[in-house]
Amino acid sequence: MQYIIDFILELDRLKGVTRKSKPIGLDRYENSAEHSWQIALFAASMSEFAEPDIDLHRVVSMLLVHDIGEIDTGDTIVYAEEGLAERKAAERVAVERIFGMLPNAQGAKFLALWEEFEDGETAEARFAHAADRAMPVLLNLAQGGGSWVENGISYERVVRKVGPPIEAGCPALWAWLAPQLEEGRAKGFFGA
């Protein structure tokens, strides 16, 4: 039991990792724990648009563990174009440390979910990636551009970064979202 308690208390630190998107109606940035919770429910809500026979439990589990490495590394805005390999290597070290707090079989199970998400090769991982990439977009659209305006992120950069993984993981979501982005562009929701 003590291993689990230590692990769960370590995970509490994810609440202190600040992201670049603000929750709707609040004048603060969301944290990575809030993000993980929200996208897990988002994916569960979109299950009818997933590939047939997708394991939704695995999708939700991946989404709950995918950002745990940020406890040690912090969050980087998804549109950052430099240092990706270094960030991913540091995140790998972090998840090995954190999942290593658990008994071997349990820690290995969580690490395998994290790796599956990172690899993005299964239908479940692609669907999880679609939810992960779409949620900040939805928040920014709901808030007149939000972090796109604050950080000078262009429409083209957003579409290039989020379009392919959303379309690959949930084509129906991309079919709905692409026109929303076009409308946002017409309204000036993007940075230069």
Side-chain angles (χ1 to χ4, degrees):
M1 182 61 74
Q2 189 63 51
Y3 294 114
I4 295 169
I5 301 303
D6 292 343
F7 172 71
I8 289 300
L9 293 177
E10 180 69 10
L11 294 186
D12 196 65
R13 294 179 52 213
L14 197 59
K15 296 174 187 175
V17 177
T18 304
R19 294 176 49 85
K20 305 294 187 252
S21 299
K22 292 182 179 177
I24 296 171
L26 299 179
D27 192 28
R28 67 167 178 82
Y29 293 98
E30 71 177 344
N31 65 55
S32 288
E34 291 170 317
H35 166 71
S36 295
W37 161 82
Q38 189 172 35
I39 61 174
L41 281 172
F42 183 34
S45 300
M46 291 193 308
S47 63
E48 69 183 272
F49 300 105
E51 288 184 25
D53 301 321
I54 201 164
D55 183 345
L56 188 59
H57 180 266
R58 225 166 77 231
V59 171
V60 169
S61 296
M62 271 187 260
L63 291 170
L64 291 173
V65 302
H66 85 287
D67 277 341
I68 285 178
E70 293 180 2
I71 288 171
D72 290 352
T73 66
D75 181 63
T76 303
I77 193 166
V78 70
Y79 308 106
E81 296 176 334
E82 300 86 30
L84 180 61
E86 294 82 5
R87 286 194 309 275
K88 289 299 177 187
E91 201 171 321
R92 172 71 189 217
V93 169
V95 296
E96 287 177 354
R97 178 190 72 77
I98 296 163
F99 296 143
M101 297 174 75
L102 293 167
N104 287 345
Q106 204 171 15
K109 182 179 108 178
F110 287 134
L111 182 59
L113 285 165
W114 182 86
E115 289 171 335
E116 182 178 353
F117 179 86
E118 287 297 308
D119 292 342
E121 294 176 4
T122 64
E124 286 80 6
R126 287 189 299 273
F127 191 66
H129 273 273
D132 183 44
R133 290 292 180 252
M135 196 64 240
V137 172
L138 296 173
L139 291 174
N140 283 328
L141 287 171
Q143 298 179 94
S147 65
W148 297 330
V149 173
E150 289 175 7
N151 296 287
I153 307 296
S154 70
Y155 166 84
E156 293 78 15
R157 196 163 159 193
V158 171
V159 170
R160 184 175 63 247
K161 186 68 175 183
V162 305
I166 295 172
E167 189 170 24
C170 188
L173 176 58
W174 183 245
W176 181 87
L177 195 56
Q180 307 300 317
L181 287 167
E182 282 286 348
E183 188 177 319
R185 178 164 63 168
K187 293 179 178 177
F189 286 5
F190 297 91

